[in-house]
Amino acid sequence: MKKPLIIINFKTYVEGCGDMAVSISKSAEKIGEGAGAEMIVCPQAADIYRVASAVSIPVFAQHVDPISGGSSTGHILPLSVKEAGGSGTLVNHSERRLKLADIDAVINEAKKVGLTTVICSNNIATTSAASALSPDYVAVEPPELIGSGIPVSKANPDIVRGSMGAVKNINPDVKVLCGAGISRGDDVKAALELGAEGVLLASGVVKAKDPAAALLDLVGFL
Ligand code: G3P
């Protein structure tokens, strides 16, 4: 079984904020290392520096804006994520949608400053469009399964297979992840069996009573 990439999005869950962001990230680092899985954490923007200072696994932003610096009060500058110790960013999450031209501008700016990019898509058509913009990863997440506890890799394997096929035709350099409702090792295993590189998940870890136990379960099949 190939080793999965597991990206944990802390969203704006209070359980994943401040000290708790650091604590979950340290568990992800330790458990990922022990199992040989690659873990990436996406804390809130204000926590990127403290998390990146505390762990050596990659820390991604949840969003950056399509800007290169200047008079854009309240926006997130890709360079500032990099300077804070971040090494990548989610783009176009279904809770933070962007226009196509803005996704393109974010990808270009992120590349310029050296951030890895993960475009989130909601179906096979948007996965195709996203892959044409040459991000490092596309993560397909059907919105109706987000936060549901019903794993996309089991409830809708066709969207994962279809996304893999679409990306292969358009831009085979782009790697495919899937997300929504993932919370158990079995869900991750099913994603890998469909050909995905790994998963993007949130509530299954961040809102778990015991996030470390949830992380251990995720890699238990390895
Ligand atoms: O970014 C990951 C996310 O949208 C999936 O959320 O809670 O279903 O794992 P969740």
Side-chain angles (χ1 to χ4, degrees), residues 7-9 11 13 90 93-95 120 141 145-150 179-183 200-205:
I7 305 184
I8 305 151
N9 177 6
K11 301 197 173 182
Y13 291 132
L90 303 182
H93 192 278
S94 61
E95 293 150 13
C120 301
E141 298 198 314
L145 295 178
I146 291 180
S148 68
I150 302 168
I182 304 281
S183 64
L200 171 61
L201 79 155
S203 53
V205 167

Side-chain angles (χ1 to χ4, degrees), residues 107-216:
I107 298 296
N108 290 331
E109 191 59 32
K111 278 188 184 156
K112 216 191 293 167
V113 302
L115 294 177
T116 298
T117 48
V118 182
I119 300 184
C120 301
S121 60
N122 58 318
N123 57 34
I124 297 171
T126 57
T127 302
S128 305
S131 64
L133 300 175
S134 299
D136 296 288
Y137 296 89
V138 174
V140 59
E141 298 198 314
E144 67 279 9
L145 295 178
I146 291 180
S148 68
I150 302 168
V152 60
S153 49
K154 290 184 175 168
N156 193 350
D158 285 348
I159 201 172
V160 184
R161 280 194 210 100
S163 294
M164 305 281 314
V167 169
K168 205 171 162 203
N169 284 334
I170 293 172
N171 191 343
D173 291 340
V174 177
K175 298 183 207 80
V176 178
L177 306 170
C178 64
I182 304 281
S183 64
R184 310 295 310 265
D186 264 4
D187 311 337
V188 181
K189 188 166 178 263
L192 297 187
E193 284 167 354
L194 290 167
E197 294 288 321
V199 296
L200 171 61
L201 79 155
S203 53
V205 167
V206 184
K207 288 190 70 70
K209 272 198 189 107
D210 182 348
L215 285 161
L216 268 176

